Amino acid sequence: DIQMTQSPASLSASLGETVTIECLASEDIYDILAWYQQKPGKSPQLLIYDASSLHTGVPSRFSGSGSGTQYSLKINSLQPEDFASYYCQNGLSAPLTFGSGTKLEIK
Amino acid sequence: QIQLVQSGPELKKPGESVKISCKASGYTFTNYGMYWVKQAPGQGLQYMGWINTETGKPTYADDFKGRFVFFLETSASTAYLQINNLKNEDMATYFCARSPMGISPYYFDYWGQGVMVTVSS
């Protein structure tokens, strides 16, 4: 099974700042990686797929990068609605494992 | 518009069974697999498995083999998750989500709203 190691587990930042979340796969997943945002009491929402493609309607301040086993999600100019939890997901092969999540909080 | 609408919250006792539904609308049901994801209170997302909506064949992740059952009512574009012999550790929110079937990549572009299952004696 492909393991997804996500860091950091939590992150405090201020409005307007830029933050980066990392995800490390246990083997090459050939950019077949997604990022999701989840707000409390809500279902996850797809942000980025294929490591760097923005899903429909997602603001351009979100971006994804990486290759092989190392991937990252960058959020520029943090807005109030960005404070949430974020998860990476292996989309290559079952089991479709998720990272353990990053909780982004307001400083 | 595309929607996955799940059934309401459940309160069950240990040892009982629960059946959760996920009704799809706005797309051709059999063009997408239906996937299930567990989220325990305060925890992350855990992949449970999926069901092929063309054939009805379920596939379970290792942690969900035995007491968990995925099945369909295709005529109603509805997928179900049944959990038998409920245990305290089954207390969680259960999400359904769709992804194209057949080959990678497997991304979840639409999700149900989640069903909270409470297990308490």
Side-chain angles (χ1 to χ4, degrees):
Chain A
D1 296 358
I2 298 171
Q3 308 302 318
M4 306 299 290
T5 303
Q6 190 174 335
S7 62
S10 63
L11 188 52
S12 290
S14 302
L15 291 174
E17 275 192 44
T18 294
V19 297
T20 300
I21 298 168
E22 309 282 345
C23 189
L24 178 68
S26 60
E27 60 187 79
D28 193 330
I29 56 171
Y30 305 99
D31 301 357
I32 308 299
L33 178 114
W35 291 96
Y36 299 87
Q37 177 193 67
Q38 186 182 31
K39 297 181 179 178
K42 300 294 186 183
S43 53
Q45 301 294 308
L46 179 63
L47 291 176
I48 286 173
Y49 63 96
D50 290 348
S52 60
S53 296
L54 222 55
H55 186 54
T56 307
V58 175
S60 58
R61 63 180 180 274
F62 291 90
S63 63
S65 63
S67 63
T69 61
Q70 295 186 295
Y71 300 89
S72 61
L73 171 69
K74 185 177 178 182
I75 314 172
N76 289 315
S77 187
L78 280 167
Q79 301 298 302
E81 59 270 28
D82 300 337
F83 292 92
S85 292
Y86 294 85
Y87 296 90
C88 60
Q89 178 234 328
N90 147 44
L92 178 64
S93 61
L96 304 176
T97 41
F98 292 90
S100 52
T102 296
K103 186 173 183 180
L104 176 57
E105 298 175 309
I106 299 179
K107 186 184 289 184
Chain B
Q1 74 281 23
I2 295 168
Q3 286 189 297
L4 298 178
V5 178
Q6 297 186 243
S7 46
E10 300 274 3
L11 173 59
K12 295 290 183 181
K13 293 180 168 54
E16 293 185 337
S17 294
V18 67
K19 186 170 80 172
I20 295 165
S21 66
C22 173
K23 182 170 177 59
S25 61
Y27 71 96
T28 302
F29 184 66
T30 52
N31 283 354
Y32 291 80
M34 195 64 77
Y35 293 73
W36 293 93
V37 175
K38 175 184 177 182
Q39 187 168 40
Q43 302 301 306
L45 304 171
Q46 186 177 11
Y47 174 77
M48 299 176 67
W50 71 293
I51 186 163
N52 184 317
T53 53
E54 282 188 313
T55 64
K57 179 186 175 186
T59 302
Y60 303 97
D62 285 347
D63 287 347
F64 298 96
K65 291 178 180 175
R67 298 185 298 111
F68 298 82
V69 183
F70 306 149
F71 60 99
L72 303 173
E73 186 179 352
T74 305
S75 61
S77 298
T78 301
Y80 295 90
L81 163 63
Q82 181 164 313
I83 310 173
N84 298 317
N85 187 21
L86 278 161
K87 302 181 185 304
N88 290 334
E89 55 264 35
D90 297 327
M91 189 157 74
T93 296
Y94 293 87
F95 295 99
C96 61
R98 74 165 200 175
S99 182
M101 281 194 302
I103 59 171
S104 170
Y106 302 103
Y107 302 131
F108 308 126
D109 59 351
Y110 285 89
W111 294 66
Q113 81 275 20
V115 175
M116 177 67 198
V117 174
T118 301
V119 183
S120 175
S121 53

